[in-house]
Amino acid sequence: MAYSSVTPEQETKPSTGHKITVEKILEDFKRAINYLSPLHKAIEEDFKFAQGKQWDDEDIETLRKAGIKALTINKLKPIIKLLTGIERQSKSDFVALPEGDEDGIVADISSALLKNVVKNSSAEKKLSEMFKRGVIGGVDYIEPYIDYSDNLIHGVMRMRNISPLSVFYDPDAKEHDLCDAKFIIKFSPDMCKEDLIYLFPDKEKVIEEISDGKVALTDVTSSGVHTQPLDYPSIKEGKANYYEVEDARLDLIEYYYKSMVSKYFVVDPAMQTVLPVVDKKMAQEYVNQYPDAKLIEKKAPEIRCCAVIGNTIIKDETAWSFPKWKRFPIIPYFAEWITMLENDSVLSIQGVVRGIKDLQLEYNKRRTQELRHLNSTIANATLVPRGSMTPQDLERMKTHGSSPGFVAEFDASLGKPERMGPVPLSTAHAELALENAQDLKEASGVNPDLLASANSGQDQSGRAILLKQKQGLVMTQELMDNYSDTKKNLGKFLLSQLGEIYTVESAIKVCGNAFLEKYQEFKKPSVDETGMPIIDPMTGELKTEVDMAIVNQIFNKVLNDVELADYDVSIGEGAYSETIKMSNYLTLMDMVAKGLPIPPDVLVSESTLSQGSKEKIQASIQAQMQAQAQAMAMGQNMPPQGGKAGGKPAKGENGG
């Protein structure tokens, strides 16, 4: 939570007619806990199951006492590895797409800055971790924040993954991006005072004086429910000594909520404009000055954050990302969310693991039973006729009869010892285990055998194999689409905060001089000392140069226009991984082979060469094209052989 980005003017009380209270926060917290606690327990079990803890401790101990190993043959991990591998191979960059033809340059600047933000924040790794955790448990969160450690004015965008067990949202929310939620709570238990002082340096004295720093939901009595959902005792239950230690830990609640505030607008019919104003007083002054103007008051949500330690409010302020980002600064990813089952969070929100845990457990038990049956029947028995062996040989037979090379004497007249073979392995157990393994593939919608599809035929092309794999993964398309929506929401958030990260100068530096030279929109005609335009004598074209005033104006629009994502650009995804880039390049080469006139510089740009190599090749191509153009121009201006320019014969030629 980037509290350092909030100015003192922002730490104001919301204009709702009432002040936020600890009781209100704890009421919402308790309601969210009652709804999400079953889900959180299921998520914790999902993660343990995915990592291999698939037996109850009691069952393991029972089998151990019987001399049996509880087998764990983790069929879930290959499924998860396959999905996460596909995600990592199909990564994409954030791309700002122009809404209109005139927005192309703004979109290209936005794309370049977004790419730089992603690189500096290691967003690729954070998003991959988010996808993996969402696939396993069904939900995960990512929290962007600005780090002002090195620069107090313009910080660096960072990302952190938040455990789904630490986030509690409004149970009434129905949208997958939680845009309709009234609140989101980030709960950080057992924090030391040093960490809290680092987060709230101006509240050091208040934090040091806090003695009741644990959340006690039993103190909230307005609902008439006396429960303790959190697994630790309350100080007010007479257990204060539990926390009276030198390094006492404190609970931090970050309560993001929507507060309805009054917004004022002045409608000026003469100028045909709607002007937002800071407050009602300023609006009234404008209306008094222009009689035709009208004052409009409208209630609009304001995103705020109230920080609570124990039962003490530390800060209640406008969220650091507001007003440029009008949602909560915590981005969720739901792999699967069925909103129809609104009263059962465990059924509503699921990942891949939840629906196939029983099949995995059954598979483990089948294989364990199979091994148990084998172990119980593997030893060969020997039938010895009574009196055919001496007591000493009989004892040796009992002890070493199954050992190789064992020799014992017997009385042939009394009968020969007869060895009994092992009982055949139960085919029913083997068939059930095989059937269960197939059920796992079908129930998950992911078949790890698709990885080996390259070996299914030597004459298959790479694209045919890729298409076959995609068709086999069609059942997982929903969680992939939801993940794509999450990335786009994150891209919109980053776009809204570019002005907090870059100055115009630093943004220009990120794009580079070559970027400025590429666009005519940045340029103005070059003039000489007399102010006359300069014409290139070789090409006859008007020379131009970069106009920094225009550059500053366009870059300033990208950084500070709060409506940029609404009207000028939209966030999409572009090719990122080498696999996708190579596939795109091969597609272009196929088009060239079929006769499509694709320029060479486009082919170079879409190749997997380094950026430096691309620039060298493109510069060489450009130089060759210019040389050819100049040669053609000179050829048109040269006189015919044996004559002068214009084609007239020289004096004395042709009898002249």
Side-chain angles (χ1 to χ4, degrees), residues 36-78:
L36 292 173
S37 285
L39 174 63
H40 289 178
K41 291 179 181 178
I43 290 174
E44 189 173 4
E45 184 179 339
D46 290 342
F47 275 89
K48 291 180 179 179
F49 224 81
Q51 291 303 107
K53 191 181 186 311
Q54 301 176 354
W55 288 86
D56 293 334
D57 294 337
E58 296 81 2
D59 293 339
I60 294 176
E61 181 62 19
T62 301
L63 291 172
R64 187 193 66 80
K65 290 179 179 179
I68 303 165
K69 169 70 175 177
L71 295 180
T72 300
I73 304 173
N74 197 340
K75 289 285 188 177
L76 303 182
K77 182 156 283 190

Side-chain angles (χ1 to χ4, degrees), residues 122-158:
S122 300
E124 306 100 331
K125 294 182 179 179
K126 303 295 183 182
L127 283 168
S128 293
E129 181 69 15
M130 180 189 209
F131 178 77
K132 181 176 182 178
R133 298 186 346 178
V135 164
I136 294 174
V139 59
D140 198 55
Y141 304 88
I142 194 168
E143 181 183 27
Y145 68 98
I146 298 181
D147 184 1
Y148 292 92
S149 301
D150 299 326
N151 190 326
L152 297 178
I153 306 300
H154 289 273
V156 179
M157 179 64 72
R158 307 290 189 195

Side-chain angles (χ1 to χ4, degrees), residues 272-561:
Q272 296 184 348
T273 57
V274 179
L275 303 175
V277 291
V278 176
D279 53 32
K280 188 174 183 179
K281 181 179 179 182
M282 181 179 295
Q284 193 61 51
E285 291 176 355
Y286 189 96
V287 171
N288 294 337
Q289 186 177 359
Y290 300 96
D292 292 337
K294 295 182 180 180
L295 172 63
I296 296 178
E297 179 180 353
K298 183 180 178 181
K299 293 290 184 179
E302 178 183 76
I303 305 299
R304 298 181 65 85
C305 181
C306 184
V308 178
I309 300 178
N311 293 319
T312 304
I313 292 181
I314 300 298
K315 275 197 173 183
D316 180 18
E317 62 191 16
T318 305
W320 67 273
S321 55
F322 188 85
K324 291 186 175 181
W325 180 251
K326 295 180 173 61
R327 301 182 189 177
F328 299 115
I330 295 177
I331 313 297
Y333 166 54
F334 294 95
E336 179 184 344
W337 186 5
I338 306 298
T339 56
M340 291 297 294
L341 304 173
E342 56 186 26
N343 295 323
D344 193 331
S345 59
V346 178
L347 291 178
S348 299
I349 300 170
Q350 296 190 30
V352 173
V353 176
R354 191 88 45 83
I356 56 179
K357 285 192 295 188
D358 288 345
L359 289 172
Q360 172 68 71
L361 184 58
E362 181 187 0
Y363 185 81
N364 290 339
K365 290 184 176 181
R366 292 281 178 265
R367 294 297 298 270
T368 301
Q369 290 169 350
E370 193 176 346
L371 180 62
R372 182 178 186 179
H373 179 76
L374 179 64
N375 289 338
S376 64
T377 60
I378 193 63
N380 292 335
T382 303
L383 296 178
V384 181
R386 189 184 303 273
S388 64
M389 304 180 68
T390 64
Q392 293 79 7
D393 287 341
L394 183 59
E395 187 62 31
R396 290 178 60 213
M397 173 68 79
K398 293 179 180 179
T399 306
H400 305 289
S402 298
S403 302
F406 173 73
V407 178
E409 294 182 350
F410 63 93
D411 188 343
S413 63
L414 297 178
K416 181 181 178 180
E418 181 182 352
R419 186 177 294 274
M420 298 180 63
V423 178
L425 186 64
S426 171
T427 57
H429 285 97
E431 290 176 359
L432 285 173
L434 183 62
E435 181 181 313
N436 189 251
Q438 183 63 30
D439 290 341
L440 275 167
K441 297 175 185 178
E442 295 177 357
S444 66
V446 182
N447 186 359
D449 294 342
L450 291 171
L451 293 175
S453 61
N455 300 324
S456 60
Q458 297 299 324
D459 57 343
Q460 290 192 39
S461 66
R463 290 182 188 170
I465 294 172
L466 181 61
L467 180 60
K468 183 177 179 181
Q469 291 177 344
K470 286 185 176 180
Q471 289 174 342
L473 294 171
V474 68
M475 289 179 65
T476 65
Q477 192 62 47
E478 179 184 2
L479 60 89
M480 294 293 186
D481 287 345
N482 290 342
Y483 179 59
S484 178
D485 291 341
T486 295
K487 289 195 294 183
K488 289 178 182 178
N489 286 333
L490 178 61
K492 292 178 183 178
F493 177 90
L494 297 179
L495 183 65
S496 72
Q497 301 301 312
L498 291 179
E500 300 295 326
I501 308 170
Y502 299 104
T503 61
V504 171
E505 293 76 14
S506 62
I508 294 174
K509 187 176 180 180
V510 167
C511 293
N513 293 328
F515 182 89
L516 303 182
E517 292 288 348
K518 187 169 64 173
Y519 292 92
Q520 290 298 324
E521 291 89 341
F522 288 139
K523 297 180 179 180
K524 64 179 180 180
S526 299
V527 297
D528 57 19
E529 295 81 358
T530 64
M532 295 298 294
I534 300 176
I535 305 297
D536 189 331
M538 300 297 296
T539 64
E541 296 179 354
L542 182 68
K543 282 191 173 183
T544 58
E545 60 185 18
V546 175
D547 187 346
M548 292 309 299
I550 299 176
V551 171
N552 290 335
Q553 179 182 358
I554 296 177
F555 272 80
N556 186 67
K557 172 181 175 62
V558 173
L559 297 180
N560 298 303
D561 187 355

Side-chain angles (χ1 to χ4, degrees), residues 1-12 193-210 252 305 307 309 312-317:
M1 184 173 182
Y3 284 102
S4 54
S5 67
V6 181
T7 61
E9 291 77 12
Q10 286 179 293
E11 192 175 354
T12 58
K193 288 187 176 181
E194 289 76 8
D195 292 340
L196 290 169
I197 292 173
Y198 179 79
L199 287 176
F200 310 97
D202 56 332
K203 300 293 183 180
E204 178 176 1
K205 184 177 179 181
V206 177
I207 294 173
E208 289 288 359
E209 293 177 352
I210 292 178
L252 171 64
C305 181
I309 300 178
T312 304
I313 292 181
I314 300 298
K315 275 197 173 183
D316 180 18
E317 62 191 16

